[in-house]
Amino acid sequence: MDTWHRMRPKLYSTCLFFLALDCSVVMGSEVENHLDMGRDFLARGQLQDALSHYHAAVEGDPNNYLTYFKRGTVYLALGKAKFALLDFGKVLELKPDFTAARYQRGVVLMKQASIEDARKELYNVYIGNGDFAREAYDLYSKLDGLAYDIELATYYQENKDYESGINSLDRLIEHCPWAPSLREQRSQLYLSSGNVQHAIMDLRTATKLQADDTDGHYKLSKIYYSIGEVSESLKEIRECLKLDPDHKLCHSHYKIVKKIDRLIVDSQSALNIKDFSSSIQFAKKVKDGDYTCSHVDMPIRDFEHALHIDQEHRQATEGLKKAKNLQKQAERKDYYKILNVKRTATKQEIIKAYRKAAQQWHPDNFQGEAKKNAEKRFIEIASAKEVLTNPEKREQFDRGIDPLDPESGRHHQDGFNPFQQFHQFHGSPFTFKFNFN
């Protein structure tokens, strides 16, 4: 009995040792199984399934640097740069000399336009003269050019040279596709140059690149609202409030958009049941607010539909007339804004602004879809010059009459040709590849 009492503590500790060893073997087996499954899913391109197994492998063995590295590469393939950086950072914490992780960190930082941080990581890789040294050097050699383009884009934006700024950001985003700040900057330039759809595309990408981007959703909602896309505006502002219910700007804008959306829905519902009076009243409330011309498109369609059913409907007739007048006012071009000059600008200042804008937007400087947009801008620029350098036409425009409006009876009465005007100021060094009627 005494012998048993003396041996019992040793037997107990021995059991615990084998039990722990058993658990370790089981856990190791489970981790290996998750790694194998993750590798299989990765080979088949099923990235989310692979990621799930790598999550489990990391939880099962939180000190295995290779497990973090494998999960980081999946994050990278999914475009989740933030999480990839965290995993590669953990790898280097556990194994500082793991070159592959340092190189991948450098790649991600470069794609995020974190130039100085990328410079440090890539420099350490290529001076090590080991794996990835050549690849690291190739990327490192591009960083100075990217840093210069970042400064250049800001310079162009400050000087309102929107096209040059967009070109600089095009080059940047090609190498730094995961930098939300560059997308936001290019979006602002697109807006300034009148390309709203491209501005929306860039902002939408920016909101996907960073979590909790309340400002991005707010800006998107404002843009959609400005072009009359009320339902899209409401959708974006709701996304903003989901992320931050206390966001003051989003909350204030939400109340406005929600009200307009409700009025449009009510107007359409009344129209569907042929309650024209109610439909018109709801539409008038939309029309009478401070909204862009796109907001009155729906009332105009409603009024025309009402008149098609009842041509003697007095309220519909009056409403249609008012809505069209509002639309016409909203669509009236601001020739001063087109040339970016003050209303007090002298003729010399107007001609100088015209030359600069005409050279920038000449269609021969563009190709494809961009050329069509340039043609429209070029014609607008020439129209602005024609009106603002002619004392009589400028006086009419200042009184609220567009002398180039077809309904004024003066539209192009002197054989206006924007390209002929350009020749008068710049000679004829270009061969045009399109016709202008």
PDB file of all heavy atoms in Angstrom, residues 69-104:
ATOM      1  N   PHE A  69       1.147  32.887 -43.433  1.00  0.00           N
ATOM      2  CA  PHE A  69       1.572  33.279 -44.785  1.00  0.00           C
ATOM      3  C   PHE A  69       0.583  32.772 -45.831  1.00  0.00           C
ATOM      4  O   PHE A  69       0.208  33.496 -46.756  1.00  0.00           O
ATOM      5  CB  PHE A  69       2.972  32.739 -45.081  1.00  0.00           C
ATOM      6  CG  PHE A  69       3.474  33.119 -46.448  1.00  0.00           C
ATOM      7  CD1 PHE A  69       3.901  34.417 -46.712  1.00  0.00           C
ATOM      8  CD2 PHE A  69       3.510  32.196 -47.479  1.00  0.00           C
ATOM      9  CE1 PHE A  69       4.351  34.784 -47.977  1.00  0.00           C
ATOM     10  CE2 PHE A  69       3.954  32.555 -48.745  1.00  0.00           C
ATOM     11  CZ  PHE A  69       4.379  33.857 -48.987  1.00  0.00           C
ATOM     12  N   LYS A  70       0.154  31.526 -45.678  1.00  0.00           N
ATOM     13  CA  LYS A  70      -0.789  30.945 -46.640  1.00  0.00           C
ATOM     14  C   LYS A  70      -2.127  31.695 -46.606  1.00  0.00           C
ATOM     15  O   LYS A  70      -2.726  31.958 -47.648  1.00  0.00           O
ATOM     16  CB  LYS A  70      -0.993  29.457 -46.353  1.00  0.00           C
ATOM     17  CG  LYS A  70       0.234  28.610 -46.678  1.00  0.00           C
ATOM     18  CD  LYS A  70       0.057  27.175 -46.261  1.00  0.00           C
ATOM     19  CE  LYS A  70       1.317  26.359 -46.581  1.00  0.00           C
ATOM     20  NZ  LYS A  70       1.207  24.954 -46.125  1.00  0.00           N
ATOM     21  N   ARG A  71      -2.573  32.033 -45.394  1.00  0.00           N
ATOM     22  CA  ARG A  71      -3.825  32.774 -45.307  1.00  0.00           C
ATOM     23  C   ARG A  71      -3.656  34.175 -45.905  1.00  0.00           C
ATOM     24  O   ARG A  71      -4.555  34.695 -46.577  1.00  0.00           O
ATOM     25  CB  ARG A  71      -4.290  32.879 -43.857  1.00  0.00           C
ATOM     26  CG  ARG A  71      -5.693  33.477 -43.739  1.00  0.00           C
ATOM     27  CD  ARG A  71      -6.220  33.451 -42.319  1.00  0.00           C
ATOM     28  NE  ARG A  71      -5.512  34.391 -41.455  1.00  0.00           N
ATOM     29  CZ  ARG A  71      -5.839  34.635 -40.192  1.00  0.00           C
ATOM     30  NH1 ARG A  71      -6.876  34.000 -39.651  1.00  0.00           N
ATOM     31  NH2 ARG A  71      -5.156  35.492 -39.465  1.00  0.00           N
ATOM     32  N   GLY A  72      -2.491  34.769 -45.697  1.00  0.00           N
ATOM     33  CA  GLY A  72      -2.215  36.087 -46.261  1.00  0.00           C
ATOM     34  C   GLY A  72      -2.262  36.091 -47.777  1.00  0.00           C
ATOM     35  O   GLY A  72      -2.758  37.040 -48.396  1.00  0.00           O
ATOM     36  N   THR A  73      -1.757  35.032 -48.397  1.00  0.00           N
ATOM     37  CA  THR A  73      -1.775  34.964 -49.860  1.00  0.00           C
ATOM     38  C   THR A  73      -3.208  34.843 -50.389  1.00  0.00           C
ATOM     39  O   THR A  73      -3.532  35.362 -51.458  1.00  0.00           O
ATOM     40  CB  THR A  73      -0.943  33.772 -50.378  1.00  0.00           C
ATOM     41  OG1 THR A  73      -1.431  32.555 -49.813  1.00  0.00           O
ATOM     42  CG2 THR A  73       0.525  33.944 -50.023  1.00  0.00           C
ATOM     43  N   VAL A  74      -4.086  34.168 -49.620  1.00  0.00           N
ATOM     44  CA  VAL A  74      -5.496  34.067 -50.033  1.00  0.00           C
ATOM     45  C   VAL A  74      -6.166  35.437 -49.901  1.00  0.00           C
ATOM     46  O   VAL A  74      -6.920  35.867 -50.786  1.00  0.00           O
ATOM     47  CB  VAL A  74      -6.258  33.019 -49.193  1.00  0.00           C
ATOM     48  CG1 VAL A  74      -7.727  32.979 -49.600  1.00  0.00           C
ATOM     49  CG2 VAL A  74      -5.637  31.640 -49.391  1.00  0.00           C
ATOM     50  N   TYR A  75      -5.883  36.133 -48.798  1.00  0.00           N
ATOM     51  CA  TYR A  75      -6.398  37.492 -48.643  1.00  0.00           C
ATOM     52  C   TYR A  75      -5.963  38.362 -49.822  1.00  0.00           C
ATOM     53  O   TYR A  75      -6.727  39.172 -50.354  1.00  0.00           O
ATOM     54  CB  TYR A  75      -5.898  38.112 -47.344  1.00  0.00           C
ATOM     55  CG  TYR A  75      -6.709  37.773 -46.116  1.00  0.00           C
ATOM     56  CD1 TYR A  75      -6.071  37.400 -44.933  1.00  0.00           C
ATOM     57  CD2 TYR A  75      -8.094  37.862 -46.128  1.00  0.00           C
ATOM     58  CE1 TYR A  75      -6.806  37.107 -43.790  1.00  0.00           C
ATOM     59  CE2 TYR A  75      -8.836  37.563 -44.996  1.00  0.00           C
ATOM     60  CZ  TYR A  75      -8.188  37.189 -43.826  1.00  0.00           C
ATOM     61  OH  TYR A  75      -8.927  36.903 -42.700  1.00  0.00           O
ATOM     62  N   LEU A  76      -4.724  38.177 -50.222  1.00  0.00           N
ATOM     63  CA  LEU A  76      -4.169  38.955 -51.336  1.00  0.00           C
ATOM     64  C   LEU A  76      -4.932  38.656 -52.620  1.00  0.00           C
ATOM     65  O   LEU A  76      -5.279  39.564 -53.387  1.00  0.00           O
ATOM     66  CB  LEU A  76      -2.681  38.617 -51.506  1.00  0.00           C
ATOM     67  CG  LEU A  76      -1.795  39.654 -52.189  1.00  0.00           C
ATOM     68  CD1 LEU A  76      -1.866  40.983 -51.463  1.00  0.00           C
ATOM     69  CD2 LEU A  76      -0.349  39.159 -52.224  1.00  0.00           C
ATOM     70  N   ALA A  77      -5.207  37.378 -52.853  1.00  0.00           N
ATOM     71  CA  ALA A  77      -5.941  36.979 -54.059  1.00  0.00           C
ATOM     72  C   ALA A  77      -7.365  37.529 -54.048  1.00  0.00           C
ATOM     73  O   ALA A  77      -7.939  37.805 -55.105  1.00  0.00           O
ATOM     74  CB  ALA A  77      -5.965  35.460 -54.178  1.00  0.00           C
ATOM     75  N   LEU A  78      -7.928  37.706 -52.846  1.00  0.00           N
ATOM     76  CA  LEU A  78      -9.285  38.246 -52.727  1.00  0.00           C
ATOM     77  C   LEU A  78      -9.314  39.767 -52.746  1.00  0.00           C
ATOM     78  O   LEU A  78     -10.380  40.378 -52.723  1.00  0.00           O
ATOM     79  CB  LEU A  78      -9.930  37.750 -51.418  1.00  0.00           C
ATOM     80  CG  LEU A  78     -10.330  36.271 -51.366  1.00  0.00           C
ATOM     81  CD1 LEU A  78     -10.671  35.850 -49.950  1.00  0.00           C
ATOM     82  CD2 LEU A  78     -11.519  36.008 -52.288  1.00  0.00           C
ATOM     83  N   GLY A  79      -8.125  40.379 -52.791  1.00  0.00           N
ATOM     84  CA  GLY A  79      -8.045  41.833 -52.809  1.00  0.00           C
ATOM     85  C   GLY A  79      -8.255  42.471 -51.453  1.00  0.00           C
ATOM     86  O   GLY A  79      -8.484  43.676 -51.359  1.00  0.00           O
ATOM     87  N   LYS A  80      -8.169  41.680 -50.376  1.00  0.00           N
ATOM     88  CA  LYS A  80      -8.341  42.206 -49.014  1.00  0.00           C
ATOM     89  C   LYS A  80      -6.978  42.588 -48.460  1.00  0.00           C
ATOM     90  O   LYS A  80      -6.370  41.874 -47.647  1.00  0.00           O
ATOM     91  CB  LYS A  80      -9.043  41.176 -48.135  1.00  0.00           C
ATOM     92  CG  LYS A  80     -10.454  40.846 -48.621  1.00  0.00           C
ATOM     93  CD  LYS A  80     -11.169  39.883 -47.692  1.00  0.00           C
ATOM     94  CE  LYS A  80     -12.601  39.627 -48.164  1.00  0.00           C
ATOM     95  NZ  LYS A  80     -13.345  38.726 -47.261  1.00  0.00           N
ATOM     96  N   ALA A  81      -6.503  43.745 -48.926  1.00  0.00           N
ATOM     97  CA  ALA A  81      -5.135  44.164 -48.642  1.00  0.00           C
ATOM     98  C   ALA A  81      -4.876  44.362 -47.151  1.00  0.00           C
ATOM     99  O   ALA A  81      -3.807  44.012 -46.635  1.00  0.00           O
ATOM    100  CB  ALA A  81      -4.827  45.453 -49.401  1.00  0.00           C
ATOM    101  N   LYS A  82      -5.842  44.940 -46.451  1.00  0.00           N
ATOM    102  CA  LYS A  82      -5.656  45.224 -45.028  1.00  0.00           C
ATOM    103  C   LYS A  82      -5.346  43.955 -44.239  1.00  0.00           C
ATOM    104  O   LYS A  82      -4.410  43.917 -43.430  1.00  0.00           O
ATOM    105  CB  LYS A  82      -6.919  45.894 -44.475  1.00  0.00           C
ATOM    106  CG  LYS A  82      -6.879  46.164 -42.990  1.00  0.00           C
ATOM    107  CD  LYS A  82      -8.194  46.778 -42.516  1.00  0.00           C
ATOM    108  CE  LYS A  82      -8.200  46.976 -41.000  1.00  0.00           C
ATOM    109  NZ  LYS A  82      -9.493  47.553 -40.539  1.00  0.00           N
ATOM    110  N   PHE A  83      -6.114  42.888 -44.494  1.00  0.00           N
ATOM    111  CA  PHE A  83      -5.928  41.642 -43.761  1.00  0.00           C
ATOM    112  C   PHE A  83      -4.660  40.909 -44.232  1.00  0.00           C
ATOM    113  O   PHE A  83      -4.001  40.240 -43.430  1.00  0.00           O
ATOM    114  CB  PHE A  83      -7.159  40.752 -43.915  1.00  0.00           C
ATOM    115  CG  PHE A  83      -8.396  41.363 -43.337  1.00  0.00           C
ATOM    116  CD1 PHE A  83      -9.398  41.852 -44.157  1.00  0.00           C
ATOM    117  CD2 PHE A  83      -8.555  41.471 -41.968  1.00  0.00           C
ATOM    118  CE1 PHE A  83     -10.539  42.433 -43.626  1.00  0.00           C
ATOM    119  CE2 PHE A  83      -9.697  42.056 -41.419  1.00  0.00           C
ATOM    120  CZ  PHE A  83     -10.690  42.538 -42.249  1.00  0.00           C
ATOM    121  N   ALA A  84      -4.346  41.039 -45.508  1.00  0.00           N
ATOM    122  CA  ALA A  84      -3.109  40.435 -46.012  1.00  0.00           C
ATOM    123  C   ALA A  84      -1.895  41.058 -45.317  1.00  0.00           C
ATOM    124  O   ALA A  84      -0.966  40.346 -44.902  1.00  0.00           O
ATOM    125  CB  ALA A  84      -3.004  40.631 -47.526  1.00  0.00           C
ATOM    126  N   LEU A  85      -1.912  42.379 -45.158  1.00  0.00           N
ATOM    127  CA  LEU A  85      -0.813  43.060 -44.477  1.00  0.00           C
ATOM    128  C   LEU A  85      -0.656  42.583 -43.036  1.00  0.00           C
ATOM    129  O   LEU A  85       0.465  42.381 -42.551  1.00  0.00           O
ATOM    130  CB  LEU A  85      -1.045  44.575 -44.478  1.00  0.00           C
ATOM    131  CG  LEU A  85      -0.624  45.350 -45.725  1.00  0.00           C
ATOM    132  CD1 LEU A  85      -0.943  46.825 -45.548  1.00  0.00           C
ATOM    133  CD2 LEU A  85       0.862  45.169 -46.007  1.00  0.00           C
ATOM    134  N   LEU A  86      -1.779  42.411 -42.345  1.00  0.00           N
ATOM    135  CA  LEU A  86      -1.727  41.935 -40.959  1.00  0.00           C
ATOM    136  C   LEU A  86      -1.098  40.547 -40.869  1.00  0.00           C
ATOM    137  O   LEU A  86      -0.272  40.285 -39.982  1.00  0.00           O
ATOM    138  CB  LEU A  86      -3.141  41.907 -40.371  1.00  0.00           C
ATOM    139  CG  LEU A  86      -3.793  43.272 -40.111  1.00  0.00           C
ATOM    140  CD1 LEU A  86      -5.250  43.094 -39.695  1.00  0.00           C
ATOM    141  CD2 LEU A  86      -3.024  44.027 -39.034  1.00  0.00           C
ATOM    142  N   ASP A  87      -1.490  39.659 -41.799  1.00  0.00           N
ATOM    143  CA  ASP A  87      -0.934  38.302 -41.771  1.00  0.00           C
ATOM    144  C   ASP A  87       0.548  38.289 -42.119  1.00  0.00           C
ATOM    145  O   ASP A  87       1.342  37.590 -41.464  1.00  0.00           O
ATOM    146  CB  ASP A  87      -1.715  37.387 -42.723  1.00  0.00           C
ATOM    147  CG  ASP A  87      -2.915  36.743 -42.034  1.00  0.00           C
ATOM    148  OD1 ASP A  87      -3.080  36.951 -40.817  1.00  0.00           O
ATOM    149  OD2 ASP A  87      -3.685  36.042 -42.710  1.00  0.00           O
ATOM    150  N   PHE A  88       0.946  39.053 -43.138  1.00  0.00           N
ATOM    151  CA  PHE A  88       2.368  39.094 -43.491  1.00  0.00           C
ATOM    152  C   PHE A  88       3.184  39.732 -42.368  1.00  0.00           C
ATOM    153  O   PHE A  88       4.336  39.354 -42.120  1.00  0.00           O
ATOM    154  CB  PHE A  88       2.573  39.856 -44.804  1.00  0.00           C
ATOM    155  CG  PHE A  88       1.973  39.166 -46.001  1.00  0.00           C
ATOM    156  CD1 PHE A  88       1.371  39.896 -47.015  1.00  0.00           C
ATOM    157  CD2 PHE A  88       2.012  37.780 -46.124  1.00  0.00           C
ATOM    158  CE1 PHE A  88       0.808  39.265 -48.110  1.00  0.00           C
ATOM    159  CE2 PHE A  88       1.447  37.134 -47.219  1.00  0.00           C
ATOM    160  CZ  PHE A  88       0.841  37.881 -48.213  1.00  0.00           C
ATOM    161  N   GLY A  89       2.592  40.693 -41.669  1.00  0.00           N
ATOM    162  CA  GLY A  89       3.268  41.287 -40.520  1.00  0.00           C
ATOM    163  C   GLY A  89       3.461  40.281 -39.402  1.00  0.00           C
ATOM    164  O   GLY A  89       4.506  40.256 -38.746  1.00  0.00           O
ATOM    165  N   LYS A  90       2.444  39.433 -39.168  1.00  0.00           N
ATOM    166  CA  LYS A  90       2.556  38.393 -38.147  1.00  0.00           C
ATOM    167  C   LYS A  90       3.628  37.374 -38.516  1.00  0.00           C
ATOM    168  O   LYS A  90       4.381  36.901 -37.649  1.00  0.00           O
ATOM    169  CB  LYS A  90       1.203  37.695 -37.990  1.00  0.00           C
ATOM    170  CG  LYS A  90       1.151  36.668 -36.872  1.00  0.00           C
ATOM    171  CD  LYS A  90       1.307  37.305 -35.516  1.00  0.00           C
ATOM    172  CE  LYS A  90       1.164  36.287 -34.390  1.00  0.00           C
ATOM    173  NZ  LYS A  90       1.333  36.906 -33.046  1.00  0.00           N
ATOM    174  N   VAL A  91       3.728  37.042 -39.794  1.00  0.00           N
ATOM    175  CA  VAL A  91       4.774  36.120 -40.265  1.00  0.00           C
ATOM    176  C   VAL A  91       6.150  36.680 -39.910  1.00  0.00           C
ATOM    177  O   VAL A  91       7.016  35.975 -39.373  1.00  0.00           O
ATOM    178  CB  VAL A  91       4.674  35.903 -41.785  1.00  0.00           C
ATOM    179  CG1 VAL A  91       5.883  35.112 -42.290  1.00  0.00           C
ATOM    180  CG2 VAL A  91       3.393  35.166 -42.140  1.00  0.00           C
ATOM    181  N   LEU A  92       6.372  37.966 -40.215  1.00  0.00           N
ATOM    182  CA  LEU A  92       7.682  38.579 -39.958  1.00  0.00           C
ATOM    183  C   LEU A  92       7.955  38.732 -38.464  1.00  0.00           C
ATOM    184  O   LEU A  92       9.108  38.760 -38.039  1.00  0.00           O
ATOM    185  CB  LEU A  92       7.758  39.939 -40.651  1.00  0.00           C
ATOM    186  CG  LEU A  92       7.723  39.863 -42.183  1.00  0.00           C
ATOM    187  CD1 LEU A  92       7.599  41.257 -42.785  1.00  0.00           C
ATOM    188  CD2 LEU A  92       8.968  39.163 -42.717  1.00  0.00           C
ATOM    189  N   GLU A  93       6.881  38.822 -37.681  1.00  0.00           N
ATOM    190  CA  GLU A  93       7.041  38.856 -36.222  1.00  0.00           C
ATOM    191  C   GLU A  93       7.541  37.511 -35.714  1.00  0.00           C
ATOM    192  O   GLU A  93       8.393  37.435 -34.826  1.00  0.00           O
ATOM    193  CB  GLU A  93       5.695  39.208 -35.586  1.00  0.00           C
ATOM    194  CG  GLU A  93       5.701  39.329 -34.081  1.00  0.00           C
ATOM    195  CD  GLU A  93       4.310  39.568 -33.535  1.00  0.00           C
ATOM    196  OE1 GLU A  93       3.579  40.410 -34.120  1.00  0.00           O
ATOM    197  OE2 GLU A  93       3.928  38.922 -32.539  1.00  0.00           O
ATOM    198  N   LEU A  94       7.002  36.421 -36.290  1.00  0.00           N
ATOM    199  CA  LEU A  94       7.402  35.074 -35.886  1.00  0.00           C
ATOM    200  C   LEU A  94       8.713  34.642 -36.540  1.00  0.00           C
ATOM    201  O   LEU A  94       9.490  33.887 -35.951  1.00  0.00           O
ATOM    202  CB  LEU A  94       6.292  34.080 -36.260  1.00  0.00           C
ATOM    203  CG  LEU A  94       4.952  34.249 -35.521  1.00  0.00           C
ATOM    204  CD1 LEU A  94       3.877  33.390 -36.161  1.00  0.00           C
ATOM    205  CD2 LEU A  94       5.116  33.881 -34.043  1.00  0.00           C
ATOM    206  N   LYS A  95       8.969  35.133 -37.777  1.00  0.00           N
ATOM    207  CA  LYS A  95      10.170  34.745 -38.506  1.00  0.00           C
ATOM    208  C   LYS A  95      10.650  35.935 -39.350  1.00  0.00           C
ATOM    209  O   LYS A  95      10.283  36.056 -40.527  1.00  0.00           O
ATOM    210  CB  LYS A  95       9.893  33.533 -39.388  1.00  0.00           C
ATOM    211  CG  LYS A  95      11.149  32.927 -40.025  1.00  0.00           C
ATOM    212  CD  LYS A  95      10.819  31.631 -40.726  1.00  0.00           C
ATOM    213  CE  LYS A  95      12.041  31.062 -41.461  1.00  0.00           C
ATOM    214  NZ  LYS A  95      13.207  30.841 -40.568  1.00  0.00           N
ATOM    215  N   PRO A  96      11.451  36.826 -38.763  1.00  0.00           N
ATOM    216  CA  PRO A  96      11.859  38.070 -39.431  1.00  0.00           C
ATOM    217  C   PRO A  96      12.614  37.883 -40.745  1.00  0.00           C
ATOM    218  O   PRO A  96      12.642  38.793 -41.571  1.00  0.00           O
ATOM    219  CB  PRO A  96      12.750  38.755 -38.391  1.00  0.00           C
ATOM    220  CG  PRO A  96      12.319  38.163 -37.080  1.00  0.00           C
ATOM    221  CD  PRO A  96      11.954  36.755 -37.382  1.00  0.00           C
ATOM    222  N   ASP A  97      13.236  36.735 -40.952  1.00  0.00           N
ATOM    223  CA  ASP A  97      14.035  36.531 -42.167  1.00  0.00           C
ATOM    224  C   ASP A  97      13.241  35.844 -43.285  1.00  0.00           C
ATOM    225  O   ASP A  97      13.837  35.383 -44.267  1.00  0.00           O
ATOM    226  CB  ASP A  97      15.289  35.714 -41.845  1.00  0.00           C
ATOM    227  CG  ASP A  97      14.963  34.321 -41.323  1.00  0.00           C
ATOM    228  OD1 ASP A  97      13.801  34.101 -40.911  1.00  0.00           O
ATOM    229  OD2 ASP A  97      15.872  33.461 -41.300  1.00  0.00           O
ATOM    230  N   PHE A  98      11.906  35.785 -43.151  1.00  0.00           N
ATOM    231  CA  PHE A  98      11.099  35.128 -44.180  1.00  0.00           C
ATOM    232  C   PHE A  98      10.888  36.121 -45.323  1.00  0.00           C
ATOM    233  O   PHE A  98       9.979  36.951 -45.304  1.00  0.00           O
ATOM    234  CB  PHE A  98       9.767  34.662 -43.586  1.00  0.00           C
ATOM    235  CG  PHE A  98       9.024  33.693 -44.473  1.00  0.00           C
ATOM    236  CD1 PHE A  98       9.538  32.446 -44.768  1.00  0.00           C
ATOM    237  CD2 PHE A  98       7.797  34.031 -45.014  1.00  0.00           C
ATOM    238  CE1 PHE A  98       8.858  31.560 -45.580  1.00  0.00           C
ATOM    239  CE2 PHE A  98       7.102  33.157 -45.828  1.00  0.00           C
ATOM    240  CZ  PHE A  98       7.643  31.912 -46.115  1.00  0.00           C
ATOM    241  N   THR A  99      11.723  36.019 -46.342  1.00  0.00           N
ATOM    242  CA  THR A  99      11.778  37.005 -47.428  1.00  0.00           C
ATOM    243  C   THR A  99      10.481  37.102 -48.217  1.00  0.00           C
ATOM    244  O   THR A  99      10.072  38.197 -48.609  1.00  0.00           O
ATOM    245  CB  THR A  99      12.933  36.654 -48.383  1.00  0.00           C
ATOM    246  OG1 THR A  99      14.130  36.526 -47.630  1.00  0.00           O
ATOM    247  CG2 THR A  99      13.116  37.729 -49.440  1.00  0.00           C
ATOM    248  N   ALA A 100       9.846  35.974 -48.447  1.00  0.00           N
ATOM    249  CA  ALA A 100       8.619  35.975 -49.261  1.00  0.00           C
ATOM    250  C   ALA A 100       7.551  36.874 -48.638  1.00  0.00           C
ATOM    251  O   ALA A 100       6.856  37.614 -49.342  1.00  0.00           O
ATOM    252  CB  ALA A 100       8.090  34.554 -49.428  1.00  0.00           C
ATOM    253  N   ALA A 101       7.428  36.826 -47.302  1.00  0.00           N
ATOM    254  CA  ALA A 101       6.425  37.651 -46.631  1.00  0.00           C
ATOM    255  C   ALA A 101       6.790  39.129 -46.716  1.00  0.00           C
ATOM    256  O   ALA A 101       5.930  39.986 -46.918  1.00  0.00           O
ATOM    257  CB  ALA A 101       6.296  37.233 -45.172  1.00  0.00           C
ATOM    258  N   ARG A 102       8.078  39.441 -46.587  1.00  0.00           N
ATOM    259  CA  ARG A 102       8.503  40.845 -46.673  1.00  0.00           C
ATOM    260  C   ARG A 102       8.274  41.396 -48.086  1.00  0.00           C
ATOM    261  O   ARG A 102       7.858  42.540 -48.268  1.00  0.00           O
ATOM    262  CB  ARG A 102       9.976  40.975 -46.273  1.00  0.00           C
ATOM    263  CG  ARG A 102      10.394  42.430 -46.021  1.00  0.00           C
ATOM    264  CD  ARG A 102      11.774  42.501 -45.391  1.00  0.00           C
ATOM    265  NE  ARG A 102      11.830  41.863 -44.108  1.00  0.00           N
ATOM    266  CZ  ARG A 102      11.393  42.396 -42.968  1.00  0.00           C
ATOM    267  NH1 ARG A 102      10.828  43.600 -42.994  1.00  0.00           N
ATOM    268  NH2 ARG A 102      11.517  41.745 -41.834  1.00  0.00           N
ATOM    269  N   TYR A 103       8.547  40.569 -49.088  1.00  0.00           N
ATOM    270  CA  TYR A 103       8.326  40.996 -50.472  1.00  0.00           C
ATOM    271  C   TYR A 103       6.830  41.246 -50.709  1.00  0.00           C
ATOM    272  O   TYR A 103       6.456  42.264 -51.299  1.00  0.00           O
ATOM    273  CB  TYR A 103       8.835  39.927 -51.438  1.00  0.00           C
ATOM    274  CG  TYR A 103       8.441  40.184 -52.880  1.00  0.00           C
ATOM    275  CD1 TYR A 103       9.036  41.203 -53.610  1.00  0.00           C
ATOM    276  CD2 TYR A 103       7.450  39.416 -53.494  1.00  0.00           C
ATOM    277  CE1 TYR A 103       8.668  41.454 -54.924  1.00  0.00           C
ATOM    278  CE2 TYR A 103       7.074  39.655 -54.804  1.00  0.00           C
ATOM    279  CZ  TYR A 103       7.687  40.676 -55.513  1.00  0.00           C
ATOM    280  OH  TYR A 103       7.314  40.918 -56.812  1.00  0.00           O
ATOM    281  N   GLN A 104       5.985  40.326 -50.235  1.00  0.00           N
ATOM    282  CA  GLN A 104       4.542  40.493 -50.430  1.00  0.00           C
ATOM    283  C   GLN A 104       4.027  41.729 -49.693  1.00  0.00           C
ATOM    284  O   GLN A 104       3.127  42.421 -50.183  1.00  0.00           O
ATOM    285  CB  GLN A 104       3.782  39.245 -49.959  1.00  0.00           C
ATOM    286  CG  GLN A 104       4.032  37.989 -50.790  1.00  0.00           C
ATOM    287  CD  GLN A 104       3.509  38.122 -52.210  1.00  0.00           C
ATOM    288  OE1 GLN A 104       2.871  39.097 -52.576  1.00  0.00           O
ATOM    289  NE2 GLN A 104       3.803  37.134 -53.043  1.00  0.00           N
TER     290      GLN A 104
END
